[in-house]
Amino acid sequence: MVQNGDDSTNKTSLSNPVNHLDKDDIELNLNISGMTCSNCALKINTRLKSLPGIQRVDVVLPTESAKVSFNKNQVNLDEILKSVKDIGYKATLSRLEISTDPTTQNSMITQAISSLKMIQGIYSVTFIDEKKLFKINFNSGEISENKVMKEFYKLGIEGKKTQGILEQERENYQDDIRHKKRLFLVSAFILLPIFTIGQINLFTNVFMDYMQPIRYVLFGLTTISQIVVGSFFYRGAYSSLKNKSTNMDVLIALGSGTAYLYSVYSTFIGHGEIFFGESVMIFTFIALGKWLESIAKGRTSTALTKLMELKATSARVLRDGIEVDVDIDEIDLNDILVVKPGEKIPIDGIVKEGISRVDESMITGESISVKKRPEDIVIGGTVNQNGLLKIKVDKIGNDTVLSRIIQMVRGAQTEKPPMQLLADKISNIFVPTVIVIGLITFSYWFWGQSYTFEDSLLRFVSVIVISCPCALGLAIPTAVMVGTGLGAKSGILIKGGESLETVHKVNHIVFDKTGTLTMGKPHVMKNLPFNQATMKDVLYFAGSIEQGSEHPLGKAIIEKALDKEIKLSSVEDFQNIPGFGIMGKIGSDKIILGNLKFAEKEDITLQMAKDEIDQLQSQGNTVVFVAKNGALIGILAIMDTLKPNSKAVIAELHQQNIRTYMLTGDHEKTAKAIAQSIGIKEFFAEVLPSQKLAKIEEIQSRPNAVVAMVGDGINDAPALTKADVGIAIGSGTDIAMESADIVLIKGELQNIIAAFTLSKKTYNKMKQNLFWAGIYNLIGIPFAAGIFFGILGFFVPPGVASLFMALSSVSVVTSALLLKRLDLNKIKENINSQNEKSKVINDEISHGTRSGNEINSETLLKDGEENIMASKLVCEKCGHEESLPKHCGRDMIPHEGKLVCWMNLDPKFGGMNCGTVEYPQHCDVQMIAK
């Protein structure tokens, strides 16, 4: 196998993530209910971390969830759940509900319950006989929903899933919205008569003779509000104070409760003012804000929900030659699926029969459908458009691309960015600070300015209820949720907030060449024999020794040999020398194949081919030699087509003042030609796979360098991990997901620009939300305290203050939702338009109307022995010349002994068969292209 520094083996794949947990460590996913603000999340986080064996805790307020890593030998699930319950919240596992056939025997049900409980990750199983329903509580961090269903089907009981994780999340979300809506409506219903009476009393004397009875009526209505609506806040406040912490509930309960208690005192004992209306108004506006906030928070996670909805629920499987509809969880590896036109592809697999176009936009964000032929990979959740496909299943459950994407997006939304730590610190001291400010405000106006007790008390209540720790807690997580969801919709997976914070600082970006800047499918462009050998001899020996090779260069050589119908032989004494090449015996002949350094190492002279090698390298070819018994018999020029948009992407990065580099194992001349053709000025040539990490460290050692590394997962994992930002770029089924911070499902380079733009916009939104949440409190609290009373001449009433408090959280979530206006497809289209301009210039160069030394990546073909830049046909006998035939508006191109339409070569058309003709004949011989 050719070892040319770009070894393409040992991929870190999407289906084989790295497991960072020891066998005794468990990752636990919990649903948390009862949280009202960031202090609640902090309280749960702190409590869980105090338990022995807890290694990591991430509590996410917007999704009301938590991820906990713990050692099962030191703490168990019951202790974790109890610790959350003890501080006033409820933690639950994922739940699966399965309805069964009413005729199922009780003995089978009893046996099923016992068997399911024995499975690791399943913690409780109950059966409701009236509904014939199994309820299974499981930890989705240990066992997937798909795996639970598979284990259930193994028990031989007929059943159908009626509720899974997606349905559970929807139910919880809808229940939360309904609960918040009821609180608001009840509170508003009570407030209406209180407010009406207050307004009548303010502007008329109708109730002048009935003030005391009216006070009793208001007391009764407000007491109902305090019990029905206020209990929601009082319970939260009690739980918080019991655990020696404070949260938003404490502020609301303190504000409304203070107004209520003083009004009760005035009604039954004293003769002061009453503030029943203010007390109820606080609850009403806060409940309204919570209702709107729940609706808005639900919208921040729509991208994740839509991804989950892409999962198929059933599939058509061939069983003994008969098509059978089965539940998706009953599918096994190697099953053959039948997918008709217009149907969703149920699960990942390989096409075995049929040709069709598949819409992958829901996974990759690309609107152009992709042509699929036998042996092509298809992704579950995509849509088959116009042909019947038979697909062999090669991934199931959590190993599928869609499942891995969902897991990554969930992980990104639970990981706290460094900026969140600042918000958490502020939230931790926020409530006590506000209470202190409230007491100072009361003291100042009552004792310092001799205002009445009632007026001073209102200033205290206004300060308490205008302050909003919720806005601080939601500012960053909501932005992260919307940003990561928007990226997932376009095939850009960002692993978390820390990556978002780092990307905007990147000023150096390193590209691995093979598979990243290039298509990763090299072709033999030139075959030059020496020392009486023929072209067939060179391909015979080179192809034979490369048999079984997984390296792209080796595959290109074998493909070329097979195209020429050369029968290859077996190899003995095979040796692979990493970074140099391969050697072995074919019959009695010792064959050596490799790069130029290998020739020098083996004392094989290449002097006779020096001029040809220099010329080929200067054109961007990778040159390998073939030697037989110590003598050179030929050189092969191999070129990997550059990806479309590569030059436009590099230009855009330079516009953003980001220095670009290229890493390659190619010879320096080859590397220089490729780098220059796309505008990269700095490159590292002849780099072995093991040296990539050192190159990243070298760049990082430069002053103020923040380095991003872009690779396709081929031997790039260490460098991706070492870089400040690792970006894995691939086809969607073979990505270094564990090593990278950002994963691009689709391999187009313009996705890098889209990813950078998305990351920067999301980071800016995080800062913007945090700023507005902070500035709201910095301005609102002084207003409520009456600092501007001397200028404005009025105070902020408690009711208005509570409205501001409610709207502050809603405004932060709404601000995060504005990120959805970012059109990533438009960014990609802008890059495409720049590339089209570049194509025009390249065409002018190729037709001699413009000078330049650029490599025209769009016109490189497999067979280098044909003149791919030909502009005419010539008869070798008589010299007759004629123009090349045209197709789709351009000259046709010589390719593998035929003339083909240029559109065959453009990846955006999926390699469609658009026009192929034979060379015309003249003087009874085939004409040649020149």
Side-chain angles (χ1 to χ4, degrees), residues 202-235:
L202 180 66
F203 294 106
T204 70
N205 295 321
V206 173
F207 298 132
M208 181 62 68
D209 297 331
Y210 309 98
M211 284 307 299
Q212 195 60 30
I214 288 297
R215 285 190 174 208
Y216 293 150
V217 171
L218 295 177
F219 162 73
L221 291 170
T222 306
T223 301
I224 294 173
S225 172
Q226 290 285 318
I227 294 171
V228 177
V229 182
S231 60
F232 173 78
F233 301 103
Y234 288 126
R235 280 197 303 268

Side-chain angles (χ1 to χ4, degrees), residues 736-802:
M737 297 186 78
E738 293 298 320
S739 304
D741 303 294
I742 297 175
V743 179
L744 309 179
I745 297 296
K746 199 70 175 175
E748 278 84 355
L749 288 172
Q750 62 265 37
N751 285 327
I752 295 174
I753 304 300
F756 270 51
T757 304
L758 173 63
S759 298
K760 290 176 181 179
K761 293 284 187 182
T762 306
Y763 176 73
N764 289 336
K765 182 60 71 175
M766 289 160 57
K767 290 197 301 181
Q768 183 186 105
N769 281 358
L770 194 58
F771 169 79
W772 286 116
I775 206 70
Y776 159 81
N777 285 291
L778 288 174
I779 294 175
I781 292 173
F783 260 101
I787 288 179
F788 303 106
F789 176 72
I791 301 172
L792 301 175
F794 65 86
F795 291 106
V796 179
V800 176
S802 64

Side-chain angles (χ1 to χ4, degrees), residues 489-554:
K489 186 179 176 182
S490 296
I492 299 169
L493 307 181
I494 301 171
K495 284 199 172 179
E498 188 171 356
S499 303
L500 289 169
E501 287 201 32
T502 307
V503 164
H504 82 284
K505 302 175 186 176
V506 168
N507 48 25
H508 299 260
I509 183 165
V510 182
F511 291 88
D512 179 61
K513 189 204 78 173
T514 302
T516 304
L517 290 172
T518 66
M519 301 297 289
K521 297 178 180 179
H523 307 295
V524 175
M525 306 300 292
K526 204 76 174 176
N527 177 355
L528 299 178
F530 292 92
N531 290 326
Q532 286 79 51
T534 65
M535 293 170 63
K536 184 176 179 179
D537 293 335
V538 176
L539 283 177
Y540 165 73
F541 287 112
S544 295
I545 201 168
E546 285 284 5
Q547 287 183 99
S549 171
E550 291 298 321
H551 195 286
L553 299 185

